[in-house]
Amino acid sequence: MTPVLLAIACPLFVTLGYVGLCAASPFGNCRKCSGWGFEMKSDRKGRLKRGKDCRRCKATGKRIRVGRWLYNRWARIYRAGTDTRPEATR
């Protein structure tokens, strides 16, 4: 493979892989709490215990992926712009 074709194929492969990941699994682990849903704290003896709920994921441990968020936004705008029902134009 020539270097030019390789330079084109690599980003294309990565992009298609991410699109497939967003389609198969639209939610990923929260980056702040690592999917736990809460912060881990330690007491004075060094033992780990549960801390406060994560505000970023609202204690679910999951967040929508960026690619899926963009797709949802695009689909919502597309549906709103192509809706031909008479009651949708009001």
Side-chain angles (χ1 to χ4, degrees):
M1 218 175 201
T2 64
V4 173
L5 287 177
L6 188 63
I8 293 171
C10 284
L12 184 64
F13 181 70
V14 170
T15 302
L16 290 177
Y18 185 69
V19 166
L21 178 68
C22 289
S25 176
F27 295 97
N29 287 339
C30 176
R31 293 183 301 270
K32 185 171 183 180
C33 64
S34 302
W36 285 74
F38 52 87
E39 178 187 5
M40 292 297 291
K41 292 174 62 176
S42 60
D43 60 3
R44 290 182 177 188
K45 293 182 181 179
R47 292 182 299 214
L48 291 175
K49 64 179 193 172
R50 181 186 170 117
K52 293 182 178 181
D53 288 344
C54 180
R55 296 185 327 175
R56 183 179 280 177
C57 64
K58 297 182 179 91
T60 61
K62 297 291 181 185
R63 294 194 63 203
I64 194 159
R65 294 185 194 275
V66 174
R68 185 60 181 213
W69 182 85
L70 288 171
Y71 171 76
N72 289 348
R73 179 64 56 105
W74 173 82
R76 190 176 306 124
I77 292 170
Y78 181 78
R79 278 192 307 266
T82 59
D83 197 4
T84 58
R85 294 178 295 159
E87 61 270 3
T89 57
R90 295 180 200 169

